[in-house]
Amino acid sequence: MSENEKSIVILTGAGISQESGLDTFRDEGGIWSQVRIEDVATPDAFRRDPERVQAFYNARRSQLVRSNVTPNSAHRALASLEQKYPGDVYIVTQNIDNLHEAAGSRNLIHMHGELLKGRCLDCADIVEWSSDMGVGEACPSCASKNKLRPHVVWFGEMPLYMDEICRLLDECGLFISIGTSGNVYPAAGFVQHARNSGNSRTVELNMEPSEGATFFEEARYGPATGIVPAFVKEILA
Ligand code: APR
Protein backbone atom coordinates (compact mmCIF):
# COMPACT_ATOMS: atom_id res chain seq x y z
CA MET A 1 0.00 0.00 0.00
CA SER A 2 1.51 3.36 -0.98
CA GLU A 3 1.78 6.24 1.50
CA ASN A 4 -1.25 8.09 0.15
CA GLU A 5 -3.46 5.00 0.28
CA LYS A 6 -3.15 4.62 4.04
CA SER A 7 -6.47 4.80 5.80
CA ILE A 8 -8.06 8.00 7.06
CA VAL A 9 -9.83 8.25 10.41
CA ILE A 10 -12.16 11.22 10.93
CA LEU A 11 -13.49 12.12 14.37
CA THR A 12 -16.58 14.34 14.25
CA GLY A 13 -18.44 16.29 16.93
CA ALA A 14 -21.45 18.56 17.29
CA GLY A 15 -19.82 21.37 15.25
CA ILE A 16 -20.28 19.46 11.99
CA SER A 17 -24.07 19.36 12.49
CA GLN A 18 -24.42 22.95 13.73
CA GLU A 19 -25.12 24.36 10.26
CA SER A 20 -27.82 21.71 9.81
CA GLY A 21 -29.65 23.41 12.69
CA LEU A 22 -28.61 21.24 15.66
CA ASP A 23 -27.25 22.93 18.78
CA THR A 24 -23.72 22.19 19.95
CA PHE A 25 -23.06 21.50 23.64
CA ARG A 26 -20.51 24.00 24.87
CA ASP A 27 -20.82 27.02 22.57
CA GLU A 28 -22.66 30.07 23.89
CA GLY A 29 -26.33 29.10 24.30
CA GLY A 30 -25.41 25.42 23.74
CA ILE A 31 -27.26 22.43 25.18
CA TRP A 32 -25.24 22.32 28.42
CA SER A 33 -26.13 25.94 29.15
CA GLN A 34 -29.83 25.07 28.86
CA VAL A 35 -29.87 21.89 31.00
CA ARG A 36 -27.48 20.35 33.53
CA ILE A 37 -25.57 17.21 32.53
CA GLU A 38 -26.33 15.70 35.97
CA ASP A 39 -30.09 16.09 35.33
CA VAL A 40 -30.36 14.45 31.91
CA ALA A 41 -27.21 12.65 30.79
CA THR A 42 -26.06 10.26 33.52
CA PRO A 43 -27.22 6.76 34.58
CA ASP A 44 -28.06 8.28 37.97
CA ALA A 45 -30.34 10.91 36.39
CA PHE A 46 -32.22 8.10 34.58
CA ARG A 47 -32.67 6.15 37.83
CA ARG A 48 -33.80 9.27 39.71
CA ASP A 49 -36.06 10.89 37.10
CA PRO A 50 -36.58 8.76 33.97
CA GLU A 51 -39.41 11.03 32.78
CA ARG A 52 -37.15 14.04 32.64
CA VAL A 53 -34.39 12.14 30.84
CA GLN A 54 -36.83 10.67 28.31
CA ALA A 55 -38.37 14.13 27.74
CA PHE A 56 -34.93 15.58 26.98
CA TYR A 57 -34.14 12.90 24.39
CA ASN A 58 -37.73 12.89 23.03
CA ALA A 59 -37.37 16.60 22.25
CA ARG A 60 -34.06 16.06 20.49
CA ARG A 61 -35.37 13.03 18.57
CA SER A 62 -38.46 14.91 17.51
CA GLN A 63 -36.34 17.85 16.29
CA LEU A 64 -34.23 15.47 14.21
CA VAL A 65 -37.18 13.60 12.71
CA ARG A 66 -39.79 16.31 12.33
CA SER A 67 -37.91 19.56 11.73
CA ASN A 68 -36.47 18.56 8.42
CA VAL A 69 -32.90 18.45 9.70
CA THR A 70 -30.75 17.34 6.75
CA PRO A 71 -27.02 16.76 6.13
CA ASN A 72 -24.98 19.80 5.10
CA SER A 73 -22.11 20.12 2.63
CA ALA A 74 -19.55 18.99 5.27
CA HIS A 75 -21.38 15.67 5.84
CA ARG A 76 -21.72 15.24 2.08
CA ALA A 77 -18.04 15.98 1.43
CA LEU A 78 -17.00 13.24 3.89
CA ALA A 79 -19.36 10.75 2.19
CA SER A 80 -17.83 11.57 -1.18
CA LEU A 81 -14.32 11.20 0.31
CA GLU A 82 -15.23 7.65 1.37
CA GLN A 83 -16.39 6.88 -2.19
CA LYS A 84 -13.47 8.45 -4.05
CA TYR A 85 -10.38 7.95 -1.87
CA PRO A 86 -8.30 4.94 -2.93
CA GLY A 87 -7.75 3.79 0.67
CA ASP A 88 -10.25 3.23 3.50
CA VAL A 89 -12.03 6.15 5.17
CA TYR A 90 -13.66 5.71 8.59
CA ILE A 91 -15.80 8.22 10.46
CA VAL A 92 -15.91 7.92 14.24
CA THR A 93 -18.64 10.25 15.41
CA GLN A 94 -19.52 11.50 18.87
CA ASN A 95 -22.83 12.70 17.41
CA ILE A 96 -26.03 10.80 18.07
CA ASP A 97 -27.79 12.33 15.06
CA ASN A 98 -28.09 10.38 11.79
CA LEU A 99 -26.69 12.99 9.41
CA HIS A 100 -23.52 11.12 8.34
CA GLU A 101 -25.51 8.07 7.25
CA ALA A 102 -28.15 10.29 5.63
CA ALA A 103 -25.34 11.88 3.59
CA GLY A 104 -24.21 8.44 2.41
CA SER A 105 -21.28 7.56 4.73
CA ARG A 106 -21.05 3.80 5.32
CA ASN A 107 -17.86 3.21 7.36
CA LEU A 108 -19.32 4.89 10.40
CA ILE A 109 -18.92 4.27 14.12
CA HIS A 110 -21.34 5.93 16.55
CA MET A 111 -19.15 5.89 19.66
CA HIS A 112 -21.75 7.78 21.77
CA GLY A 113 -24.74 5.80 20.49
CA GLU A 114 -27.70 6.79 18.33
CA LEU A 115 -30.73 8.95 19.07
CA LEU A 116 -32.91 6.92 16.70
CA LYS A 117 -32.39 3.71 18.68
CA GLY A 118 -33.44 2.41 22.06
CA ARG A 119 -31.89 -0.29 24.24
CA CYS A 120 -33.62 -2.66 26.64
CA LEU A 121 -32.09 -2.94 30.11
CA ASP A 122 -33.57 -6.44 30.46
CA CYS A 123 -32.76 -8.26 27.19
CA ALA A 124 -30.07 -5.80 25.91
CA ASP A 125 -31.66 -5.70 22.44
CA ILE A 126 -31.12 -2.53 20.44
CA VAL A 127 -34.22 -1.41 18.53
CA GLU A 128 -34.95 1.31 15.94
CA TRP A 129 -36.89 4.17 17.58
CA SER A 130 -38.05 7.33 15.81
CA SER A 131 -41.00 8.44 17.97
CA ASP A 132 -41.26 9.54 21.60
CA MET A 133 -40.11 6.96 24.17
CA GLY A 134 -42.38 6.71 27.20
CA VAL A 135 -41.27 5.70 30.68
CA GLY A 136 -43.58 2.65 30.84
CA GLU A 137 -42.80 1.61 27.26
CA ALA A 138 -42.70 -2.14 26.55
CA CYS A 139 -39.59 -3.50 24.85
CA PRO A 140 -40.56 -4.71 21.34
CA SER A 141 -38.24 -7.72 21.77
CA CYS A 142 -38.93 -9.08 25.28
CA ALA A 143 -42.05 -7.06 26.26
CA SER A 144 -40.50 -5.95 29.58
CA LYS A 145 -41.97 -2.67 30.74
CA ASN A 146 -40.06 0.34 32.15
CA LYS A 147 -36.77 -1.03 30.81
CA LEU A 148 -36.30 0.84 27.55
CA ARG A 149 -33.72 3.64 27.49
CA PRO A 150 -32.27 5.83 24.73
CA HIS A 151 -29.32 4.04 23.07
CA VAL A 152 -26.92 6.84 23.94
CA VAL A 153 -23.75 6.84 26.03
CA TRP A 154 -24.13 8.94 29.18
CA PHE A 155 -21.44 10.55 31.30
CA GLY A 156 -19.90 7.84 33.46
CA GLU A 157 -20.49 5.13 30.82
CA MET A 158 -17.95 3.57 28.48
CA PRO A 159 -18.14 4.72 24.84
CA LEU A 160 -18.95 2.01 22.30
CA TYR A 161 -16.59 0.13 19.94
CA MET A 162 -13.39 1.31 21.65
CA ASP A 163 -11.32 -1.76 20.62
CA GLU A 164 -12.17 -1.24 16.97
CA ILE A 165 -11.50 2.52 17.19
CA CYS A 166 -8.07 1.95 18.79
CA ARG A 167 -7.16 -0.48 16.00
CA LEU A 168 -8.16 2.08 13.35
CA LEU A 169 -6.11 4.80 15.10
CA ASP A 170 -3.08 2.49 15.26
CA GLU A 171 -3.16 1.99 11.50
CA CYS A 172 -4.30 5.28 9.98
CA GLY A 173 -2.09 7.58 7.94
CA LEU A 174 -4.25 10.67 8.44
CA PHE A 175 -6.33 11.65 11.47
CA ILE A 176 -8.81 14.52 11.09
CA SER A 177 -10.86 16.00 13.92
CA ILE A 178 -13.91 18.06 12.92
CA GLY A 179 -16.24 20.22 15.00
CA THR A 180 -15.36 19.01 18.47
CA SER A 181 -14.22 21.08 21.44
CA GLY A 182 -11.85 18.40 22.75
CA ASN A 183 -13.41 18.43 26.22
CA VAL A 184 -14.64 14.84 26.42
CA TYR A 185 -12.39 11.79 26.72
CA PRO A 186 -11.61 9.29 25.34
CA ALA A 187 -12.38 11.06 22.00
CA ALA A 188 -10.25 14.06 23.00
CA GLY A 189 -7.24 11.72 23.29
CA PHE A 190 -7.54 10.19 19.81
CA VAL A 191 -5.17 12.76 18.30
CA GLN A 192 -2.38 11.70 20.68
CA HIS A 193 -3.16 8.04 20.05
CA ALA A 194 -2.83 8.60 16.27
CA ARG A 195 0.42 10.54 16.73
CA ASN A 196 1.90 7.95 19.08
CA SER A 197 1.29 5.23 16.51
CA GLY A 198 3.97 7.07 14.56
CA ASN A 199 2.55 7.25 11.07
CA SER A 200 -0.29 9.76 11.20
CA ARG A 201 -0.61 13.28 9.92
CA THR A 202 -3.04 15.06 12.27
CA VAL A 203 -5.36 17.89 11.24
CA GLU A 204 -7.96 19.88 13.17
CA LEU A 205 -10.92 21.42 11.29
CA ASN A 206 -12.98 23.55 13.66
CA MET A 207 -14.60 26.94 14.10
CA GLU A 208 -11.86 27.89 16.57
CA PRO A 209 -8.87 26.21 18.25
CA SER A 210 -10.15 23.36 20.46
CA GLU A 211 -8.88 22.44 23.94
CA GLY A 212 -6.46 20.03 22.29
CA ALA A 213 -5.42 22.30 19.41
CA THR A 214 -1.72 22.15 20.24
CA PHE A 215 -1.65 18.37 19.71
CA PHE A 216 -2.44 18.75 15.99
CA GLU A 217 0.24 19.35 13.38
CA GLU A 218 -2.13 21.33 11.13
CA ALA A 219 -5.40 23.21 11.46
CA ARG A 220 -8.01 25.05 9.39
CA TYR A 221 -10.52 27.27 11.18
CA GLY A 222 -13.97 28.37 10.04
CA PRO A 223 -17.48 26.98 9.51
CA ALA A 224 -17.50 23.25 8.69
CA THR A 225 -19.51 23.77 5.47
CA GLY A 226 -16.60 25.81 4.10
CA ILE A 227 -13.45 24.17 5.45
CA VAL A 228 -14.48 20.50 5.23
CA PRO A 229 -15.36 20.42 1.49
CA ALA A 230 -12.19 22.47 0.80
CA PHE A 231 -10.00 20.02 2.74
CA VAL A 232 -11.60 16.99 1.10
CA LYS A 233 -10.86 18.57 -2.29
CA GLU A 234 -7.19 18.96 -1.21
CA ILE A 235 -6.95 15.28 -0.22
CA LEU A 236 -8.47 14.09 -3.49
CA ALA A 237 -6.43 16.47 -5.69
N1 APR B 1 -18.30 24.54 12.06
C1 APR B 1 -17.19 24.02 12.67
N2 APR B 1 -17.04 23.97 14.00
C2 APR B 1 -18.06 24.43 14.76
C3 APR B 1 -19.24 24.97 14.21
C4 APR B 1 -19.34 25.01 12.79
N3 APR B 1 -20.41 25.52 12.16
N4 APR B 1 -20.03 25.37 15.22
C5 APR B 1 -19.40 25.08 16.35
N5 APR B 1 -18.20 24.50 16.10
C6 APR B 1 -17.20 23.99 17.04
C7 APR B 1 -17.12 24.79 18.33
O1 APR B 1 -16.18 25.84 18.19
C8 APR B 1 -16.67 23.73 19.31
O2 APR B 1 -15.25 23.67 19.40
O3 APR B 1 -17.61 22.70 17.41
C9 APR B 1 -17.21 22.41 18.74
C10 APR B 1 -18.39 21.82 19.48
O4 APR B 1 -17.99 21.43 20.75
P1 APR B 1 -18.99 20.78 21.82
O5 APR B 1 -20.24 21.59 21.89
O6 APR B 1 -18.25 20.58 23.08
O7 APR B 1 -19.41 19.38 21.15
P2 APR B 1 -18.58 18.03 21.12
O8 APR B 1 -17.12 18.28 21.13
O9 APR B 1 -19.14 17.20 20.03
O10 APR B 1 -18.99 17.38 22.50
C11 APR B 1 -18.49 16.10 22.83
O11 APR B 1 -19.83 16.05 24.77
O12 APR B 1 -21.73 16.29 26.06
C12 APR B 1 -21.02 15.48 25.25
O13 APR B 1 -21.87 13.53 24.44
C13 APR B 1 -21.75 14.87 24.10
O14 APR B 1 -20.78 13.92 22.11
C14 APR B 1 -20.81 15.07 22.94
C15 APR B 1 -19.48 15.33 23.62
Side-chain angles (χ1 to χ4, degrees):
M1 190 183 269
S2 75
E3 188 62 22
N4 60 9
E5 285 176 342
K6 274 189 172 166
S7 61
I8 301 175
V9 175
I10 303 161
L11 172 69
T12 63
I16 196 168
S17 297
Q18 189 266 336
E19 290 162 88
S20 291
L22 297 178
D23 283 343
T24 60
F25 293 94
R26 295 173 185 79
D27 290 308
E28 210 183 318
I31 293 173
W32 297 148
S33 71
Q34 300 162 31
V35 284
R36 296 186 334 146
I37 289 172
E38 310 86 284
D39 290 337
V40 296
T42 67
D44 201 42
F46 190 60
R47 268 190 298 271
R48 227 178 26 241
D49 194 348
E51 248 160 45
R52 178 157 190 194
V53 173
Q54 294 286 18
F56 173 70
Y57 287 99
N58 285 342
R60 298 183 64 198
R61 195 179 301 110
S62 146
Q63 181 192 20
L64 190 60
V65 175
R66 293 195 206 104
S67 308
N68 201 21
V69 174
T70 53
N72 61 50
S73 59
H75 298 102
R76 289 196 298 273
L78 297 185
S80 96
L81 180 66
E82 182 183 323
Q83 280 161 19
K84 295 178 183 157
Y85 184 70
D88 291 327
V89 175
Y90 302 94
I91 296 175
V92 178
T93 189
Q94 299 168 90
N95 299 342
I96 58 175
D97 65 51
N98 64 342
L99 298 183
H100 283 304
E101 47 271 55
S105 288
R106 292 292 165 259
N107 291 336
L108 176 64
I109 296 177
H110 273 283
M111 67 178 288
H112 288 171
E114 295 170 70
L115 192 51
L116 299 183
K117 290 186 179 166
R119 187 169 79 240
C120 177
L121 292 169
D122 258 0
C123 71
D125 257 21
I126 295 166
V127 291
E128 305 283 333
W129 207 275
S130 57
S131 55
D132 282 356
M133 190 179 281
V135 167
E137 206 82 60
C139 167
S141 301
C142 71
S144 279
K145 286 198 168 170
N146 303 309
K147 295 292 178 185
L148 215 52
R149 58 166 278 181
H151 181 49
V152 299
V153 174
W154 286 323
F155 285 86
E157 296 183 318
M158 187 61 85
L160 309 172
Y161 312 111
M162 282 309 296
D163 289 349
E164 191 181 342
I165 295 169
C166 288
R167 223 174 20 254
L168 295 176
L169 291 169
D170 281 341
E171 290 164 6
C172 72
L174 171 60
F175 173 76
I176 311 170
S177 173
I178 303 174
T180 175
S181 62
N183 273 285
V184 175
Y185 282 80
F190 289 174
V191 57
Q192 285 149 292
H193 186 134
R195 285 187 75 155
N196 290 345
S197 72
N199 52 8
S200 294
R201 175 186 174 202
T202 53
V203 184
E204 166 162 280
L205 305 179
N206 206 39
M207 188 66 97
E208 60 195 6
S210 70
E211 288 288 312
T214 53
F215 296 122
F216 292 86
E217 293 156 336
E218 295 170 48
R220 314 278 148 83
Y221 296 118
T225 56
I227 58 178
V228 175
F231 191 68
V232 165
K233 213 166 159 188
E234 261 180 57
I235 297 174
L236 293 174

